[in-house]
Amino acid sequence: DGEKGAGLHTCPASWLPESTNLKELRSALRPALDLPMKMILPSHGAPVLTGARRELERVAGQGSARS
């Protein structure tokens, strides 16, 4: 994770506290799936203006994996 390119991404694992891993980060994102959303405006990276729920599902590990 922390990859470059189109779509939503998590931060690199090196940015996380030692007590947190990427699996826990993805799990922490899942409650946001209960919220209505049209777009996602991340602090780093391009905005997700369409397909916001699908992108968040993918990043949170709830959707199909992207290679």
Side-chain angles (χ1 to χ4, degrees):
D1 285 61
E3 64 189 65
K4 302 287 185 193
L8 192 63
H9 307 285
T10 62
C11 66
S14 62
W15 292 10
L16 298 173
E18 288 184 22
S19 61
T20 305
N21 60 42
L22 287 172
K23 183 177 179 180
E24 292 168 329
L25 175 61
R26 287 187 193 98
S27 179
L29 292 171
R30 290 185 188 125
L33 292 168
D34 293 334
L35 301 172
M37 67 183 79
K38 292 184 180 181
M39 61 183 79
I40 300 172
L41 305 173
S43 61
H44 297 283
V48 179
L49 302 177
T50 61
R53 179 168 304 283
R54 183 174 55 249
E55 278 295 295
L56 185 57
E57 287 172 346
R58 182 185 60 76
V59 171
Q62 296 281 312
S64 59
R66 194 176 81 174
S67 49

